[in-house]
Amino acid sequence: MSAPEEPSPRVYTRDAAYRSPPGGALDVDRALYDRIAVAERRLVQEFEIPVRSGVAWEVPAGHVVRLHQVDGPQVGDLNLWNRHDPRERFWAARTRQLQRSSMTTYDRFWSTLPHLRPLATVVTDTLADHPDAAVIHDLLGTRCDPYVNRMLTGEDFDRHCHSNLTRAVLPYGLTEYDVHDVLNVFQLAGLNHEHRYFMDACPARPGDVFEFFAEVDLLCALSTCPGGDLSVHMWGPEAASTQEQLEHCHPLGVQVFAVDDDALAGWEPPARASYRGADGLHGLHGLR
């Protein structure tokens, strides 16, 4: 009796599940965002986020936010909210489905239900042509947090991104419950051949930038990851000491720019999703 044939490896070449027709919701006006990216701009806010810290700040619609490397490679964990209704916030899972598992130029930060609209659009990514661009600015993983740290190490640590983001938003009336899944800016991460999540050393260098255009009034919060450039292990038998990790930590720079009005010709803040539901049950009245 002959041995059973080994199953051939599956090649994933199928089309994306979430698509829209030409001119539809996922068909971005690239000419508009190219114009915004190179338009005359005026600096209205600038600061640095120290190592293992977090800052929250407001951004008016129609402005550009620049996140940039300062003096060494550093990963940042980014949250976005509608400034006037924080229940509308960045939805990482839906953004992965509508865009990709990492973000780059022309990709959009989609918001939670029942709003479902772009909160912001990426206009500049200096790592877009990097050989590993497909796995930079990661959407697969979420923020590191003290609860997982305690579970994995038995120790308490209060400078994880979840903690940094929580402290950053407290002055805006938000709490730990408002902190949500992030965009890991400048982070190289993905799934390995065993489909397990991996992180590798941040490829960014001083001068690298990631810019997004605010489609609505935003509250942003960014944490400088305590793992720095993620070139050393944070957990497990090969975990680096706190001091060793600190040697790989750097600040991140933030700038907010007002954009010349001419560049915004034809742009309008996106409306909420047009679906309104029925009887307050969003069409699920058959379940009554």
Side-chain angles (χ1 to χ4, degrees):
M1 185 175 183
S2 60
E5 293 185 5
E6 289 290 329
S8 59
R10 187 170 184 179
V11 179
Y12 295 93
T13 58
R14 298 182 178 181
D15 291 330
Y18 287 77
R19 293 181 290 167
S20 66
L26 302 183
D27 193 359
V28 175
D29 184 350
R30 296 193 172 201
L32 169 64
Y33 293 104
D34 286 344
R35 191 167 70 242
I36 290 172
V38 300
E40 292 289 329
R41 51 175 71 175
R42 174 175 54 86
L43 182 66
V44 298
Q45 190 174 14
E46 183 175 24
F47 56 90
E48 287 187 6
I49 304 177
V51 299
R52 295 187 165 184
S53 184
V55 174
W57 71 100
E58 298 178 52
V59 180
H63 285 52
V64 168
V65 177
R66 169 180 286 183
L67 311 180
H68 62 95
Q69 300 290 327
V70 177
D71 60 12
Q74 173 66 42
V75 167
D77 285 42
L78 179 67
N79 270 188
L80 303 178
W81 296 263
N82 177 336
R83 180 65 188 96
H84 309 293
D85 180 5
R87 290 176 298 181
E88 181 182 12
R89 62 193 192 185
F90 171 47
W91 190 3
R94 184 63 84 206
T95 299
R96 286 195 299 270
Q97 292 176 314
L98 297 178
Q99 306 291 174
R100 65 193 78 218
S101 61
S102 59
M103 296 188 73
T104 190
T105 313
Y106 310 119
D107 288 336
R108 317 187 89 168
F109 295 79
W110 291 87
S111 72
T112 47
L113 300 178
H115 313 277
L116 192 62
R117 58 176 171 174
L119 294 175
T121 302
V122 182
V123 294
T124 304
D125 174 15
T126 58
L127 294 173
D129 295 324
H130 189 277
D132 293 313
V135 287
I136 299 174
H137 310 305
D138 168 55
L139 274 174
L140 288 172
T142 189
R143 61 210 181 275
C144 56
D145 69 78
Y147 304 97
V148 167
N149 191 84
R150 179 73 181 181
M151 180 180 70
L152 296 179
T153 70
E155 298 179 357
D156 291 334
F157 181 69
D158 299 324
R159 295 291 167 179
H160 281 296
C161 290
H162 179 82
S163 308
N164 296 340
L165 292 169
T166 297
R167 285 189 295 270
V169 300
L170 288 176
Y172 293 90
L174 303 186
T175 73
E176 178 178 19
Y177 291 99
D178 296 293
V179 174
H180 52 278
D181 280 351
V182 300
L183 172 66
N184 295 295
V185 188
F186 300 116
Q187 180 168 308
L188 192 161
L191 301 179
N192 65 17
H193 66 284
E194 295 178 333
H195 302 288
R196 297 178 182 273
Y197 186 71
F198 75 87
M199 301 183 295
D200 210 338
C202 171
R205 295 295 178 264
D208 277 322
V209 306
F210 181 88
E211 294 184 337
F212 57 90
F213 174 77
E215 303 280 359
V216 302
D217 292 341
L218 294 175
L219 175 65
C220 306
L222 183 67
S223 165
T224 46
C225 182
D229 62 9
L230 302 182
S231 61
V232 296
H233 293 285
M234 296 179 67
W235 298 285
E238 300 174 358
S241 68
T242 297
Q243 185 56 45
E244 288 172 327
Q245 291 180 33
L246 274 170
E247 293 172 0
H248 296 268
C249 291
H250 303 273
L252 281 173
V254 177
Q255 296 172 309
V256 179
F257 298 94
V259 178
D260 184 84
D261 288 342
D262 291 342
L264 301 182
W267 168 76
E268 293 183 359
R272 287 180 46 171
S274 57
Y275 174 69
R276 290 292 180 266
D279 296 330
L281 296 174
H282 298 276
L284 302 181
H285 43 279
L287 298 181
R288 285 186 290 187

